[in-house]
Amino acid sequence: MLLLLLLAPLFLRPPGAGGAQTPNATSEGCQIIHPPWEGGIRYRGLTRDQVKAINFLPVDYEIEYVCRGEREVVGPKVRKCLANGSWTDMDTPSRCVNRTPHSERRAVYIGALFPMSGGWPGGQACQPAVEMALEDVNSRRDILPDYELKLIHHDSKCDPGQATKYLYELLYNDPIKIILMPGCSSVSTLVAEAARMWNLIVLSYGSSSPALSNRQRFPTFFRTHPSATLHNPTRVKLFEKWGWKKIATIQQTTEVFTSTLDDLEERVKEAGIEITFRQSFFSDPAVPVKNLKRQDARIIVGLFYETEARKVFCEVYKERLFGKKYVWFLIGWYADNWFKIYDPSINCTVDEMTEAVEGHITTEIVMLNPANTRSISNMTSQEFVEKLTKRLKRHPEETGGFQEAPLAYDAIWALALALNKTSGGGGRSGVRLEDFNYNNQTITDQIYRAMNSSSFEGVSGHVVFDASGSRMAWTLIEQLQDLLCNRDKRSGLQPWSKGCGSYKKIGYYDSTKDDLSWSKTDKWIGGSPPADQTLVIKTFRFLSQKLFISVSVLSSLGIVLAVVCLSFNIYNSHVRYIQNSQPNLNNLTAVGCSLALAAVFPLGLDGYHIGRNQFPFVCQARLWLLGLGFSLGYGSMFTKIWWVHTVFTKKEEKKEWRKTLEPWKLYATVGLLVGMDVLTLAIWQIVDPLHRTIETFAKEEPKEDIDVSILPQLEHCSSRKMNTWLGIFYGYKGLLLLLGIFLAYETKSVSTEKINDHRAVGMAIYNVAVLCLITAPVTMILSSQQDAAFAFASLAIVFSSYITLVVLFVPKMRRLITRGEWQSEAQDTMKTGSSTNNNEEEKSRLLEKENRELEKIIAEKEERVSELRHQLQSRQQLRSRRHPPTPPDPSGGLPRGPAEPPDRLSCDGSRVHLLYK
C-alpha cells in the first residue's frame, strides 16, 4: 500500500482541529479535510497525484493523522467516512502537541482486586485487559498529560473474606489509591459499602448484583458491567415470545442471585407469568434438582456461578432433567467450554455433561461492540480481541473472564476520562490529583460528577451510566447448539468437527426500546420450543352409552307397564274386587313408578348429551322426579299398610274403627308425604340449588412417549350444603322405609276385606326398602365411578318399580281374566273364591254378618233377662210381706219356690260369645 504524507501550509488552520464546521456531506462520500497544525494525513492506498485529483473520499474510507518531529496526536488519530457524508468524531479536535517525558509525570494509583480463581475466575482475562488499557491511556498525551496511572492489585479469589484482608492492605499501606476496582459482586458489595468511609470512588468491571444499584447503600459505586437485572427483561421477552406462562428457578444462595431473582419475580408477575417453583442451594444442588424433577419443571432459570453450574448439571444429567421437554436459561458469562473443564467435585464425565447442557439458552450483556467500529482508544473490537488473545497464557475458551475483558478495558478508559476532566483536561480549570487523600471529599465529588457524565465509544460499545451508576447495554441471546454432533458414535460425524458444539447467536434485545432483533437460528431437540409444563388434556368421563341405552329401554318398558296397569285399574274400578283394593292408591303407586322410571333418563344425561348451561335443569329434574316418584309410589303403599296396622292391632275398645274405612284419610296421608317432599325440594332449590361441579382425578400418562398427560374429570350435580340436604332427605326417607318394613311384618297375618291386597303391598314394601337401603350408600361410595353408580341407581329404580307393579297389579289381572270376575259389587257378593286368600275373605265376611245378627239377639236376651230379674225381685218382696220366712231346709238347699222361667237359664250367651270369638 502506498503511503503519501501531505504537509499542509503552516498558515492554514484545519477545520476539524479547531472545531470549525464539518465538511459538506454529499452522496459521493466525504469531502477531504485538512490535517492538524504541525501534522499531516496518511491516505491509505492513494498516491499524491490521486489525492490532488479528487475532492471526495468514499464511504468507510479511513484517514490517519500524523505529526512531525517529537510531536504526537492528541485526540482522534483515525477518522472514518460515514454513510451520511461526515467523518467520525468531528466534535473532538485532533492536535499535534509536544511529548511529555514519563519521568515528569506524576503517578496516580489504582487499587484493584482480581478474582483469579473461585466462583468466577474473571481476573484471568480482565487483569491483562486492564494492563493493556493502562498502557494505551498512559501513551496518550491528550488524556492526563501530567499523570501516569499505575496499578496495585491482589487476587481476591472471589471471596469476601479474602477481599477484606486485601482491602485493609490497600487502604492502610502507601501509596494512596484514588479509586478501587473490585471484580465479583460479593467482593464489590463489601468494598463499595466501606469505600464511602474513605471518600473513594469504586468502579467495578464484573459486578452484576442488582443490590449494587442502591445509591443509598453504595453512594460512590459505578460499574461498566450492567446489572444482572438487565437480563430479566430479556428473559421475560423470550418467555412471551415462546408462549411460556410457567417457569421454575434454581439459584445459588448469594445476594447477587437472590436480588436478581426477586427482580425477575416482579417482572414476570407484571407480564402474567408465574414462577411455580423456586429452589435454592448453598453448595449441594442435588435435592433442589430432584425437587424440580418431581414438580415437573420444564422452563428453568438457573442463577449460579460457573463452578456451581457444573455441579448442577451433573445432577441434571442424573435426574434426566434435559432433552426435548426442558429448556435451561443460564448466565452468559461462563467460559465457552465451562462444562468440559475438569472438576473433582463432580462425578460426571465430559460426555454426560455435554449431553446435559445441549440446547440451553444464555442471556449475556453485549460486552463487545458488534459494529466493529473504532473506539476512543483507536481500536476496533476485533483488534482488541486479537491483541488481548496474544497477551493471554491460555486459550480464550479456557480463560475465565474473557467475555468481560472489554468491560475491564473500558473501565480504565472511563476512569481516565473522568480524572482528565477533574484535573482540568480539555481546557478547564481543575484540581491537582496528587492532592487527593482519604479525607478530601471535594476531589471525590468532582471525580463522581465526571464519572457520572461519562459518555464515549469503547470496545464494548457505547459507555454511559444510569442514575444508579450501572452501565446501560444491549443483551445478547445465545444457544448452545449441535454439541451431540461431536460424538461420532451417535451421529457418525468426526469428533469435534467444524461448526459443532458452540454457542450460536440467536438474537439481541434492547430493553430501553423493547426491541428484539431475532436471527431465527434457534434449534430445538424436539423440533420446536417445548411446552412450559406437561400438556394436560382435560377429558371428561362420560357414561357408557351402551349401558345408558340398555337401562333406558328397560325404563321405557317399565313406563309402558305402569301405564297399562293404571289403565287396567281405572277401567275396572267398578269391580268389587278392585274396589276393595283401594284403586285410587294403586293408581298413585303406578304414577309414582312412572315418575321414578322417568328419572332414569336425566340420571344418564351428562356432558356427552347436553351443554353446561343445561346441566342445572337436568340436576333439578333428577331430584324432583325421584322425590315425587318415591313419595307417590311408596307413600301410597305405606298409607295402606299403616291403616291396616292401625285398625287391626287396636284393643277391643277400638273395634268400631274396623267397621268403616274413610278414603279421605288415606289420601290425606299420601298428600302429607308428598307435601313434605315438595316443601323440602322447593326450599332446597331456592336456598341452595343444584349446579354442575367437576371432580378431578389423578393425571394419567399415555402409553406413547409424548409430552402430554390426561386429566380425567367427572361431572356431578351438587350444591354448597349437599351433605346437609342429603342427610335431611335420606333421613326421613330411611325412617319411612324402616317403618314400612316393620308395619308389613306386623300385619302379615291380618286379613281384611277393606284392603284386600295389603299382603302384596307388604311384599312390595320389602323389596323397595331393601333395594333403596342398599343402593343409597353404595351409589355415594361409587360416585366417582360413573358407570357403576348409574348402574346401581338406575337398576334399583327399575327393579323396584317392576316388582311393585307386578306384585300389585298382575294378580288382579290374573284373577279377573282367569275367573271372569267382571261383575258389579251386587253380583260379586254372591260369589266365593277357591283360593286360600279368597276363602278367608268370604269366611270373614260371613262371620262378621253372623256376629252382627248374634249381637242383636244377645242385646234382646239381655234386655229380657233384666226384665225377668226385676219381676222376680218384686215377687220375692211381696211374698216376704205375706208369709214369714221359713226355716232352712235341713238338706242345705234353698227354699223351694215357684219354678224359674225356662229361658232364664238358657240365656247365658255362652254360645254367642263362643261364636263371636
Side-chain angles (χ1 to χ4, degrees):
M1 182 178 66
L2 297 177
L3 301 178
L4 178 62
L5 181 62
L6 299 178
L7 297 179
L10 298 181
F11 55 87
L12 292 178
R13 180 174 177 82
Q21 74 276 9
T22 302
N24 295 332
T26 68
S27 60
E28 301 177 8
C30 300
Q31 186 177 359
I32 293 180
I33 59 177
H34 298 287
W37 186 268
E38 292 291 337
I41 297 178
R42 181 179 290 117
Y43 294 92
R44 299 178 181 181
L46 296 177
T47 64
R48 181 192 299 269
D49 296 334
Q50 289 174 333
V51 173
K52 289 181 179 180
I54 60 176
N55 294 321
F56 296 92
L57 294 173
V59 177
D60 292 334
Y61 187 83
E62 291 185 347
I63 62 173
E64 181 181 359
Y65 291 119
V66 295
C67 295
R68 294 197 306 174
E70 297 298 323
R71 295 178 179 271
E72 61 181 357
V73 177
V74 175
K77 190 175 181 179
V78 177
R79 298 188 190 275
K80 183 178 181 179
C81 180
L82 301 178
N84 60 4
S86 64
W87 295 95
T88 57
D89 300 324
M90 291 303 295
D91 56 338
T92 304
S94 297
R95 297 176 296 162
C96 291
V97 298
N98 293 324
R99 293 180 180 176
T100 302
H102 283 271
S103 59
E104 299 180 6
R105 302 173 69 181
R106 294 176 291 278
V108 176
Y109 292 93
I110 302 170
L113 297 173
F114 294 107
M116 309 304 291
S117 59
W120 176 65
Q124 297 175 5
C126 290
Q127 181 179 336
V130 168
E131 293 171 348
M132 190 167 65
L134 289 174
E135 294 175 1
D136 293 342
V137 168
N138 289 331
S139 65
R140 291 279 293 265
R141 298 279 63 84
D142 57 329
I143 300 176
L144 296 175
D146 300 327
Y147 298 95
E148 181 180 3
L149 299 180
K150 293 188 176 181
L151 182 68
I152 299 176
H153 61 89
H154 298 282
D155 179 11
S156 69
K157 299 181 180 180
C158 206
D159 178 30
Q162 190 78 11
T164 303
K165 172 187 174 183
Y166 291 125
L167 177 63
Y168 181 88
E169 293 180 4
L170 289 173
L171 293 176
Y172 288 97
N173 294 336
D174 289 333
I176 293 176
K177 288 75 181 177
I178 199 169
I179 197 168
L180 298 177
M181 292 184 62
C184 295
S185 294
S186 56
V187 173
S188 296
T189 301
L190 169 71
V191 173
E193 200 162 18
R196 60 178 178 178
M197 307 304 296
W198 279 267
N199 293 312
L200 280 169
I201 299 294
V202 179
L203 179 58
S204 175
Y205 53 87
S207 301
S208 60
S209 172
L212 293 168
S213 298
N214 188 345
R215 268 284 178 248
Q216 300 296 324
R217 185 179 174 188
F218 311 106
T220 62
F221 180 78
F222 292 88
R223 52 182 165 183
T224 53
H225 194 300
S227 170
T229 56
L230 201 61
H231 294 260
N232 291 336
T234 307
R235 292 175 179 136
V236 174
K237 191 68 176 181
L238 293 178
F239 298 157
E240 294 176 337
K241 173 180 174 59
W242 287 315
W244 294 329
K245 294 296 182 181
K246 294 181 181 293
I247 63 172
T249 63
I250 179 172
Q251 63 156 114
Q252 184 180 354
T253 308
T254 59
E255 184 181 23
V256 56
F257 300 129
T258 300
S259 54
T260 301
L261 195 52
D262 291 340
D263 178 78
L264 177 62
E265 193 166 11
E266 294 179 3
R267 292 179 184 273
V268 296
K269 186 176 181 180
E270 293 175 359
I273 301 172
E274 178 186 4
I275 296 181
T276 54
F277 312 108
R278 183 169 175 172
Q279 300 291 323
S280 61
F281 66 94
F282 183 73
S283 60
D284 185 6
V287 174
V289 172
K290 289 181 180 178
N291 291 338
L292 291 175
K293 178 68 174 181
R294 185 173 59 252
Q295 299 295 340
D296 193 34
R298 298 303 180 89
I299 313 303
I300 309 170
V301 178
L303 302 176
F304 27 72
Y305 285 116
E306 180 179 320
T307 54
E308 305 304 317
R310 286 188 283 269
K311 296 180 183 179
V312 169
F313 275 86
C314 184
E315 298 299 328
V316 166
Y317 178 82
K318 295 175 183 178
E319 297 297 329
R320 311 302 296 177
L321 202 63
F322 62 91
K324 64 181 181 180
K325 298 180 181 180
Y326 304 94
V327 178
W328 282 84
F329 281 79
L330 301 182
I331 303 169
W333 37 257
Y334 301 159
D336 285 350
N337 65 337
W338 62 270
F339 52 92
K340 304 172 191 171
I341 298 175
Y342 172 74
D343 191 339
S345 63
I346 64 174
N347 57 356
C348 294
T349 65
V350 173
D351 283 348
E352 291 172 344
M353 293 290 289
T354 301
E355 188 175 358
V357 301
E358 170 73 14
H360 77 262
I361 294 174
T362 64
T363 53
E364 177 186 353
I365 305 302
V366 176
M367 301 178 186
L368 192 66
N369 190 355
N372 204 34
T373 58
R374 293 199 174 275
S375 65
I376 192 172
S377 64
N378 197 32
M379 276 195 304
T380 64
S381 56
Q382 189 60 38
E383 290 172 351
F384 166 79
V385 172
E386 294 173 356
K387 188 175 180 181
L388 177 63
T389 302
K390 294 178 181 179
R391 298 177 69 106
L392 297 179
K393 299 178 181 179
R394 295 187 294 180
H395 192 275
E397 290 186 356
E398 301 176 356
T399 304
F402 184 80
Q403 295 177 343
E404 291 78 10
L407 304 179
Y409 182 86
D410 286 344
I412 294 298
W413 277 96
L415 171 62
L417 294 175
L419 294 178
N420 188 57
K421 290 181 182 179
T422 304
S423 64
R428 299 187 308 173
S429 60
V431 297
R432 289 165 45 90
L433 298 180
E434 61 269 25
D435 293 339
F436 174 79
N437 58 60
Y438 299 143
N439 295 319
N440 193 332
Q441 187 175 355
T442 302
I443 296 179
T444 301
D445 292 342
Q446 292 192 34
I447 297 175
Y448 177 88
R449 287 192 292 268
M451 186 74 72
N452 203 36
S453 61
S454 296
S455 179
F456 63 93
E457 293 296 329
V459 293
S460 63
H462 188 68
V463 178
V464 63
F465 301 105
D466 62 13
S468 63
S470 298
R471 169 84 176 275
M472 301 297 293
W474 280 35
T475 306
L476 170 65
I477 306 165
E478 292 183 318
Q479 186 180 34
L480 188 59
Q481 299 176 359
D482 301 324
L483 274 180
L484 298 181
C485 74
N486 296 315
R487 304 170 70 175
D488 54 344
K489 292 182 180 180
R490 296 191 178 185
S491 63
L493 300 178
Q494 292 298 321
W496 307 110
S497 57
K498 184 177 180 181
C500 288
S502 62
Y503 284 98
K504 302 295 179 62
K505 297 177 183 179
I506 59 176
Y508 291 92
Y509 181 64
D510 183 3
S511 59
T512 60
K513 300 179 181 178
D514 190 25
D515 180 26
L516 178 63
S517 302
W518 200 248
S519 61
K520 299 182 180 179
T521 56
D522 50 316
K523 289 185 178 181
W524 304 96
I525 299 176
S528 61
D532 57 359
Q533 59 183 336
T534 301
L535 181 59
V536 178
I537 301 177
K538 297 180 180 179
T539 58
F540 283 96
R541 291 180 175 177
F542 295 126
L543 181 65
S544 170
Q545 295 307 298
K546 293 181 180 179
L547 175 63
F548 177 59
I549 294 172
S550 301
V551 177
S552 298
V553 170
L554 292 176
S555 299
S556 301
L557 295 176
I559 293 174
V560 172
L561 177 61
V563 172
V564 171
C565 293
L566 181 63
S567 302
F568 165 81
N569 218 42
I570 294 174
Y571 180 78
N572 296 286
S573 60
H574 62 282
V575 178
R576 170 73 175 180
Y577 182 71
I578 300 299
Q579 289 179 346
N580 286 341
S581 65
Q582 296 299 321
N584 290 331
L585 293 181
N586 289 340
N587 293 341
L588 293 178
T589 301
V591 173
C593 291
S594 299
L595 294 177
L597 290 168
V600 170
F601 299 105
L603 276 176
L605 294 179
D606 51 24
Y608 184 83
H609 307 91
I610 59 174
R612 58 183 305 174
N613 294 331
Q614 290 78 36
F615 214 87
F617 300 102
V618 174
C619 294
Q620 298 295 341
R622 296 177 183 177
L623 188 63
W624 281 90
L625 288 175
L626 277 177
L628 295 180
F630 181 87
S631 298
L632 290 173
Y634 181 81
S636 57
M637 295 189 297
F638 177 83
T639 301
K640 285 185 179 183
I641 210 71
W642 173 269
W643 183 88
V644 172
H645 180 271
T646 301
V647 172
F648 287 94
T649 59
K650 293 295 181 179
K651 296 181 180 179
E652 294 295 326
E653 60 270 15
K654 301 293 185 178
K655 292 187 292 183
E656 291 296 326
W657 286 24
R658 306 176 187 173
K659 299 179 181 179
T660 59
L661 174 62
E662 299 178 355
W664 70 269
K665 293 182 179 180
L666 301 179
Y667 306 148
T669 304
V670 177
L672 177 63
L673 296 177
V674 174
M676 290 177 61
D677 268 1
V678 171
L679 181 62
T680 303
L681 295 177
I683 295 174
W684 186 353
Q685 184 173 357
I686 294 172
V687 175
D688 189 15
L690 291 173
H691 57 275
R692 175 178 179 265
T693 57
I694 303 297
E695 180 184 4
T696 302
F697 301 90
K699 295 178 182 178
E700 300 174 355
E701 299 295 334
K703 296 181 180 180
E704 298 81 4
D705 185 20
I706 54 177
D707 193 18
V708 298
S709 63
I710 306 300
L711 182 63
Q713 293 183 329
L714 184 62
E715 297 170 305
H716 290 289
C717 289
S718 184
S719 59
R720 290 180 292 105
K721 301 291 184 180
M722 188 69 175
N723 292 334
T724 302
W725 293 109
L726 288 179
I728 296 173
F729 208 67
Y730 286 168
Y732 82 86
K733 296 289 185 184
L735 291 176
L736 283 177
L737 291 171
L738 294 176
L739 184 57
I741 294 175
F742 171 75
L743 296 179
Y745 177 79
E746 286 290 310
T747 59
K748 67 179 184 300
S749 60
V750 174
S751 296
T752 175
E753 184 183 3
K754 299 298 182 182
I755 301 179
N756 57 18
D757 60 351
H758 76 281
R759 288 200 178 109
V761 170
M763 184 181 297
I765 287 178
Y766 286 144
N767 287 278
V768 172
V770 170
L771 286 172
C772 290
L773 292 175
I774 293 176
T775 304
V778 170
T779 53
M780 294 181 66
I781 295 173
L782 299 177
S783 60
S784 298
Q785 303 178 31
Q786 70 280 6
D787 290 343
F790 175 75
F792 265 93
S794 59
L795 292 179
I797 294 171
V798 170
F799 289 154
S800 60
S801 299
Y802 269 84
I803 292 172
T804 300
L805 294 173
V806 170
V807 169
L808 289 184
F809 293 96
V810 171
K812 297 179 177 61
M813 295 180 183
R814 180 174 176 273
R815 176 177 176 127
L816 267 62
I817 293 173
T818 58
R819 302 184 61 183
E821 297 187 1
W822 306 98
Q823 295 86 351
S824 63
E825 180 179 358
Q827 295 172 331
D828 187 57
T829 56
M830 302 300 295
K831 301 186 68 70
T832 59
S834 59
S835 64
T836 303
N837 187 45
N838 294 334
N839 291 336
E840 289 180 356
E841 291 180 0
E842 292 295 333
K843 291 178 182 180
S844 177
R845 186 171 66 253
L846 293 175
L847 287 175
E848 288 182 1
K849 183 177 180 180
E850 185 178 357
N851 282 341
R852 286 194 296 270
E853 294 175 355
L854 290 175
E855 284 177 358
K856 293 180 181 180
I857 295 173
I858 290 172
E860 294 175 356
K861 293 295 185 180
E862 287 179 350
E863 185 178 357
R864 177 63 177 165
V865 167
S866 178
E867 292 177 357
L868 291 175
R869 286 178 178 175
H870 181 71
Q871 292 176 3
L872 180 60
Q873 291 176 357
S874 300
R875 291 177 182 178
Q876 288 178 350
Q877 291 176 1
L878 181 61
R879 185 181 300 172
S880 62
R881 285 195 298 267
R882 292 180 180 178
H883 304 282
T886 60
D889 189 358
S891 62
L894 293 174
R896 296 179 181 268
E900 294 291 336
D903 58 348
R904 183 176 67 86
L905 297 177
S906 61
C907 293
D908 55 0
S910 59
R911 178 174 177 273
V912 175
H913 285 292
L914 180 60
L915 289 175
Y916 179 73
K917 292 180 180 178

